[in-house]
Amino acid sequence: MTLKPASTRLPAAGVGRLPGRVTRADLALLALLLFVLFGVPALNLLPDGSALRLPDYMIGVLGKFWCFAMLALAHGLLWGYAGPLSLGHGAFFGLGGYCMGMYLAQQKAISAGNQLPEFMVFLNWDHLPWWWTGTELFPVALLFILGVPGLLAFVFGYFTFRSRISGVYFSIISQAMVFALMLAFSRSELGFGGKTGLTNFSQILGFSVADQGTRIGIYMVTVLALAGSYLLCRWIVRSKLGQVLIAIREAEERVRFLGYPADRVKLFVFVLSAMIAGLGGALYVPQAGIINPSEFEPAQSIEVAAWVAVGGRGTLVGPILGALGVNAAKSWLTGVAPELWLFFLGALFIAVTLFLPKGLAGVWPQIRASLAKQRGGGHG
């Protein structure tokens, strides 16, 4: 990818930040991740009866929240910095999850001495489909986890960006993509368990998935994966490539006129975003214990956009905050009044749009600017 010299002026990018500058938001997020990396498992290991002990099931719940945060981060990188609003990012999350599910299903079959996963035996299959080849090996499964979502994003993005499809048309097509996947994976003939999906996992890398030590290990890997994804995205958006991304978001035609390869830049970010989402989906499956076509439901992908909007579009911290906050509210509200959840989500989205256009991540800067304005007025 060839970019123009740095002397070419672009729309304001990075709000004047230096590429390597560490902001307070960076420090706050990394401090939070360090706490949840070591503090949460430590609280879980406290003796039974301790008031501070975290219940075993909360490790899985929090681990899934961090997977959702990875999905929101991936979506925020694309929508917040490059501009395209994807309403089909659940496709990449689900594909990564299915790749991990295939590996886990194979591990269970091997441990039981079977040639085929349990659901294939039940459906009288006599051999593995060719697209399951090698999935019993973790390196191959890891390659699929990153490669399959990335390949789909490459093919989809290549044709849509090359055709200059943008705005609401891109959103509609991306939702059609995830809907098509939901229909395809619901069919038993495809070899992914139909509507039931893949479940009843027993082992991962030789360790029992039901063991609490294994669950803590997967939880810690998830937090590290989120931290690594955040640092990678941060490095990109603070680089010259990040400036070009923001320029494309603000004035794509002007960027094209200046000679920048806008299509290739958007394609790169779209593929990277899909791979991060796929990794999040892969880490979600052993903690949830199941992967099925419901992950491809269009409503799930729309909800991801709501996480990013609530947290704050155009930042990396915001989508993570939005995913954690909205899912925490969902867990609580669906327990006490499940019929109100969708009304609450809609009201929250409208309220943030009207009163917090920069999302939760913009609250503190807004308060600080207001206080500075008041102090300036007092001196005057």
Side-chain angles (χ1 to χ4, degrees):
M1 183 180 303
T2 303
L3 298 176
K4 287 285 184 180
S7 58
T8 303
R9 293 186 62 81
L10 294 166
V15 201
R17 293 171 180 162
L18 296 174
R21 181 186 171 192
V22 179
T23 65
R24 290 179 180 176
D26 293 330
L27 293 175
L29 180 64
L30 291 177
L32 173 65
L33 291 178
L34 278 175
F35 170 75
V36 299
L37 177 62
F38 297 108
V40 169
L43 291 175
N44 177 249
L45 295 175
L46 290 175
D48 291 337
S50 172
L52 297 178
R53 186 179 187 279
L54 195 71
D56 290 350
Y57 75 92
M58 284 301 297
I59 294 293
V61 171
L62 293 175
K64 288 187 282 186
F65 281 8
W66 295 121
C67 294
F68 294 147
M70 289 183 67
L71 175 58
L73 175 68
H75 190 280
L77 176 67
L78 178 69
W79 185 31
Y81 286 89
L85 170 57
S86 169
L87 294 181
H89 247 52
F92 309 123
F93 187 83
L95 286 175
Y98 264 99
C99 291
M100 174 62 87
M102 292 162 72
Y103 165 75
L104 295 175
Q106 290 266 55
Q107 291 301 301
K108 182 177 181 181
I110 292 172
S111 65
N114 297 326
Q115 298 293 323
L116 298 173
E118 198 172 42
F119 77 92
M120 290 186 182
V121 175
F122 179 76
L123 294 174
N124 295 323
W125 288 52
D126 57 4
H127 65 278
L128 274 175
W130 62 266
W131 50 89
W132 279 69
T133 303
T135 52
E136 72 277 12
L137 304 173
F138 185 75
V140 176
L142 183 60
L143 184 65
F144 281 14
I145 287 166
L146 297 174
V148 173
L151 179 62
L152 176 62
F154 179 82
V155 174
F156 182 86
Y158 178 80
F159 288 106
T160 53
F161 297 143
R162 189 164 180 248
S163 304
R164 306 287 176 88
I165 296 174
S166 60
V168 66
Y169 300 104
F170 179 84
S171 302
I172 293 172
I173 293 176
S174 64
Q175 185 142 85
M177 173 188 68
V178 76
F179 185 68
L181 284 174
M182 184 186 73
L183 296 179
F185 277 75
S186 297
R187 297 172 61 88
S188 298
E189 298 86 350
L190 202 60
F192 293 109
K195 293 183 178 178
T196 304
L198 307 175
T199 185
N200 294 327
F201 307 125
S202 60
Q203 291 189 353
I204 179 170
L205 293 173
F207 298 96
S208 170
V209 294
D211 185 75
Q212 187 60 12
T214 306
R215 300 181 73 83
I216 291 177
I218 297 172
Y219 168 87
M220 297 181 76
V221 170
T222 305
V223 175
L224 290 173
L226 173 61
S229 301
Y230 172 80
L231 292 174
L232 175 62
C233 294
R234 178 186 177 278
W235 176 74
I236 289 174
V237 301
R238 300 289 177 85
S239 68
K240 185 181 176 185
L241 177 60
Q243 293 182 328
V244 176
L245 279 176
I246 298 176
I248 292 172
R249 184 191 68 192
E250 299 296 331
E252 184 171 341
E253 289 304 317
R254 188 179 301 177
V255 174
R256 292 183 189 278
F257 179 76
L258 291 172
Y260 285 86
D263 294 342
R264 281 184 282 168
V265 172
K266 288 197 296 184
L267 182 60
F268 167 75
V269 171
F270 190 43
V271 171
L272 177 63
S273 172
M275 294 171 76
I276 293 174
L279 182 59
L283 291 167
Y284 171 83
V285 170
Q287 300 181 87
I290 187 172
I291 178 73
N292 59 36
S294 67
E295 298 301 331
F296 296 121
E297 286 183 0
Q300 301 276 26
S301 294
I302 294 174
E303 197 171 308
V304 176
W307 301 345
V308 177
V310 170
R313 182 191 172 206
T315 66
L316 296 178
V317 175
I320 296 174
L321 291 177
L324 297 179
V326 173
N327 280 290
K330 183 178 183 179
S331 294
W332 174 75
L333 197 57
T334 52
V336 297
E339 68 279 6
L340 296 180
W341 164 242
L342 289 179
F343 295 102
F344 173 81
L345 183 62
L348 180 65
F349 187 79
I350 294 171
V352 167
T353 303
L354 292 178
F355 304 111
L356 293 173
K358 295 182 180 179
L360 297 176
V363 171
W364 172 241
Q366 198 170 346
I367 293 174
R368 192 171 55 182
S370 179
L371 292 175
K373 187 177 180 181
Q374 289 179 3
R375 283 197 297 268
H379 290 304

